């Protein structure tokens, strides 16, 4: 008998070649995440088993595994031989003193095992009741579930609790994009959401030093560190927006300032994508949240780029976004008071229904290409690694 961690991944959508690639990437990501630890990772049909680790490290291993996309659950299990008497003997030793009701669930991947799943469930239920006469079976709402998995490798895994993991698809399975990362609540959550669907990303942050403070920039670096727990290594592009904002402030209509700023952010983002082989731009926008996030505004900002723009929070309420930010532990950093560049020179009444025509007219008073060029030429790059 030995203690192991049994790792479960979502299977429904896994077919053919996809399945192999999914599992291969999942394993690579797990090995990378746990690179400081010693252990063995084995694959048995439909499960991964992590074994031969130091028992004192089990808690930290579980905690790290909970942040691996593609895993739906991890169980602290024991591995024993898949023989009826061995399983019975082990089940007899289990302590049920804290509960009144239980249920046994058997999963039998090895169809050569001598009983069917249902027969064995009943049988093991009887064994438990014999040892614990005051217990009752409750099939619908048991206080304690006893899971018994009989795998094709002739091993049996027994556990009582499945700890939920991040779910989603393995990081990297959907390619790589560029996240527009501000210091706010929304964009780190947007990054988390696309990473959960398998999209790796680099990030870009625009700052307007000295109008924005050094702390504002450090806050964004801290946020990148915090999401890197889930999203692996992040290449963070830090781009100065000062000159661009000054030019817009000087030359463009006040109500169009934000629209023009956002169009230039998008242009820079697209250029960075092309330079770094990234296939999509990701933002934390949510429909109607502010003037620059109306359908009309998003249309006018989208129209300057041809790469897809992913807005995973488009239909989320602020409350929902805040809940996720708290769960992934970016919230406390996000609410630190340092200002974002978008709030510098903020007009009183930004346009709610901008048009492409008027945006283009305003841009005639700027040398947009030169501004984009110079911003990118002066970018600072940091590699954030906290996973
Ligand atoms: P957030 O909470 O993410 O800051 P927000 O509600 O403050 O969003 P806006 O300021 O309109 O909304 O920004 C919308 C999106 O534009 C952000 O989610 C982010 O993706 C991007 N963005 C805004 N400011 C910056 C910035 N300084 N650097 C990089 N991206 C930014
Ligand atoms: Mg913001």
């Amino acid at each position: 008998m030995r203690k192991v961690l049994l790792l479960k991944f979502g299977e429904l959508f896994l077919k053919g070649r996809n399945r192999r690639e999914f599992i291969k990437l999942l394993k690579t990501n797990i090995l990378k995440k746990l690179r400081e630890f010693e252990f063995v990772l084995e694959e048995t049909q439909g499960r991964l088993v992590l074994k031969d680790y130091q028992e004192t490290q089990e808690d930290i291993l579980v905690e790290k595994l909970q942040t691996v996309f593609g895993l739906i659950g991890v169980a602290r299990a024991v591995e024993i031989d898949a023989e009826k008497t061995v399983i019975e003997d082990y089940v007899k030793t289990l302590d049920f003193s804290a509960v009144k009701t239980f249920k046994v669930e058997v999963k039998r991947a090895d169809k050569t095992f001598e009983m069917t799943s249902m027969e064995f469930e009943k049988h093991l239920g009887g064994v438990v009741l014999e040892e614990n006469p005051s217990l009752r079976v409750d099939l619908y709402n048991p206080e304690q579930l006893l899971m018994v998995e009989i795998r094709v490798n002739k091993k049996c895994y027994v556990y009582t609790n499945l700890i939920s993991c991040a779910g989603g698809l393995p990081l990297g399975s959907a390619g790589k994009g560029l996240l527009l990362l501000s210091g706010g609540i929304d964009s780190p959550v947007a990054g988390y959401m696309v990473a959960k669907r398998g999209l790796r990303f680099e990030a870009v942050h625009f700052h307007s030093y000295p109008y924005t403070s050094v702390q504002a920039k450090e806050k964004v670096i801290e946020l990148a560190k915090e999401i890197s727990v889930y999203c692996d290594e992040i290449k963070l592009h830090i781009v100065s927006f000062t000159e661009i904002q000054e030019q817009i402030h000087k030359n463009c209509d006040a109500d169009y300032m934000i629209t023009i700023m956002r169009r230039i952010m998008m242009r820079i983002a697209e250029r960075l994508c092309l330079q770094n082989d990234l296939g999509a731009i990701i933002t934390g926008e949510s429909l109607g949240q502010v003037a620059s996030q109306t359908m009309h505004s998003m249309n006018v900002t989208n129209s300057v780029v041809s790469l897809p723009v992913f807005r995973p929070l488009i239909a989320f309420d602020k409350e929902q976004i805040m809940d996720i930010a708290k769960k992934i532990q970016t919230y406390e950093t996000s609410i630190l008071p340092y200002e974002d560049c978008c709030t510098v020179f903020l007009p009183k009444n930004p346009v709610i229904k901008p048009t492409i025509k008027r945006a283009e007219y305003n841009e005639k008073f700027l040398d947009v290409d030169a501004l984009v060029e110079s911003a990118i030429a002066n970018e600072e790059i940091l590699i954030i690694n906290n996973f």
Side-chain angles (χ1 to χ4, degrees):
M1 181 182 96
R2 65 168 135 189
K3 284 186 150 199
V4 300
L5 294 173
L6 190 67
L7 315 183
K8 280 183 143 184
F9 44 87
E11 272 187 287
L12 280 178
F13 47 86
L14 293 180
K15 295 207 185 77
R17 211 167 60 89
N18 265 348
R19 183 188 161 83
R20 281 297 350 132
E21 307 228 321
F22 175 104
I23 297 171
K24 200 171 138 204
L25 193 55
L26 184 58
K27 280 163 83 176
T28 308
N29 290 350
I30 291 172
L31 294 175
K32 202 165 162 193
K33 174 95 65 171
L34 304 181
R35 62 200 175 286
E36 303 153 35
F37 303 91
E38 268 187 42
F39 60 90
V40 173
L41 186 64
E42 271 178 12
E43 187 184 335
T44 93
Q45 195 192 33
R47 296 276 184 271
L48 294 172
V49 183
L50 202 141
K51 54 172 77 162
D52 296 342
Y53 53 84
Q54 275 184 31
E55 228 176 292
T56 51
Q57 294 177 334
E58 191 174 277
D59 287 346
I60 178 84
L61 287 171
V62 169
E63 194 181 305
K64 288 197 171 259
L65 287 165
Q66 284 183 282
T67 65
V68 175
F69 292 120
L71 287 178
I72 56 173
V74 50
R76 300 175 200 260
V78 297
E79 180 187 84
I80 50 182
D81 289 336
E83 283 173 28
K84 189 164 157 259
T85 52
V86 175
I87 302 171
E88 283 168 5
D89 286 346
Y90 176 68
V91 163
K92 281 181 192 166
T93 67
L94 292 174
D95 179 11
F96 286 91
S97 59
V99 297
K100 292 198 178 66
T101 59
F102 79 107
K103 173 188 172 179
V104 182
E105 210 173 296
V106 172
K107 284 220 167 79
R108 192 185 58 137
D110 176 15
K111 301 297 178 199
T112 66
F113 187 76
E114 60 195 275
M115 284 179 158
T116 66
S117 298
M118 255 217 291
E119 287 166 354
F120 201 42
E121 279 170 3
K122 278 193 196 141
H123 176 75
L124 284 179
V127 172
V128 172
L129 284 174
E130 219 163 88
E131 291 295 315
N132 307 269
S134 62
L135 269 185
R136 267 189 314 110
V137 173
D138 184 342
L139 295 181
Y140 302 102
N141 196 16
E143 281 178 63
Q144 181 72 72
L145 192 62
L146 176 61
M147 290 295 306
V148 177
E149 296 194 2
I150 298 166
R151 315 301 305 177
V152 279
N153 60 357
K154 307 288 178 202
K155 296 285 180 209
C156 174
Y157 300 95
V158 183
Y159 57 95
T160 52
N161 182 26
L162 187 70
I163 303 157
S164 63
C165 292
L169 301 173
L171 196 63
S173 61
K176 200 163 180 185
L178 180 69
L179 171 69
L180 268 67
L181 182 63
S182 70
I185 295 171
D186 305 334
S187 44
V189 173
Y192 171 84
M193 297 295 288
V194 290
K196 187 172 177 200
R197 297 305 300 166
L199 194 73
R200 247 179 227 289
F201 56 80
E202 296 184 8
V204 58
H205 175 66
F206 300 98
H207 70 89
S208 291
Y209 186 79
Y211 301 109
T212 57
S213 60
V214 175
Q215 287 98 316
K217 178 172 142 187
E218 276 163 4
K219 172 181 169 182
V220 170
I221 295 171
E222 184 56 31
L223 282 172
K225 273 190 195 155
E226 286 165 0
I227 44 175
S228 144
V229 168
Y230 292 91
C231 306
D232 213 335
E233 185 177 278
I234 297 173
K235 183 170 167 187
L236 175 62
H237 303 260
I238 299 179
V239 173
S240 170
F241 217 58
T242 315
E243 167 75 10
I244 296 170
Q245 271 187 292
E246 283 173 346
Q247 290 290 328
I248 296 174
H249 184 55
K250 204 156 60 181
N251 298 301
C252 302
D253 293 337
D255 60 340
Y256 263 69
M257 267 197 69
I258 292 188
T259 310
I260 307 299
M261 269 171 56
R262 302 203 59 83
R263 281 163 63 95
I264 296 185
M265 280 186 185
M266 285 303 211
R267 289 183 177 102
I268 294 175
E270 186 166 69
R271 280 280 294 277
L272 289 174
C273 283
L274 298 177
Q275 281 177 13
N276 294 278
D277 200 18
L278 311 173
I281 297 167
I282 305 125
T283 80
E285 288 160 306
S286 156
L287 192 60
Q289 200 187 77
V290 289
S292 61
Q293 297 179 23
T294 61
M295 180 182 70
H296 301 83
S297 291
M298 286 189 262
N299 189 18
V300 174
T301 43
N302 260 23
S303 68
V304 295
V305 293
S306 44
L307 281 178
V309 181
F310 293 163
R311 297 180 169 92
L313 308 183
I314 196 73
F316 280 45
D317 293 342
K318 195 76 184 184
E319 290 292 324
Q320 292 175 297
I321 299 170
M322 279 159 54
D323 284 347
I324 302 174
K326 285 173 190 164
K327 191 182 93 184
I328 64 172
Q329 296 183 3
T330 52
Y331 184 77
E332 293 300 326
T333 307
S334 287
I335 59 171
L336 292 173
Y338 314 113
E339 69 293 2
D340 183 39
C341 74
C342 286
T343 58
V344 178
F345 311 126
L346 194 72
K348 277 205 192 71
N349 295 309
V351 57
I352 288 172
K353 287 188 180 176
T355 63
I356 292 178
K357 213 168 152 197
R358 260 198 75 199
E360 285 174 348
Y361 172 77
N362 268 279
E363 285 171 355
K364 285 197 169 59
F365 302 95
L366 303 170
D367 188 345
V368 173
D369 287 346
L371 288 170
V372 168
E373 193 83 36
S374 142
I376 290 177
N378 293 308
E379 71 164 331
E380 179 190 347
I381 293 176
L382 295 177
I383 303 295
I384 309 290
N385 186 337
N386 189 35
F387 62 98

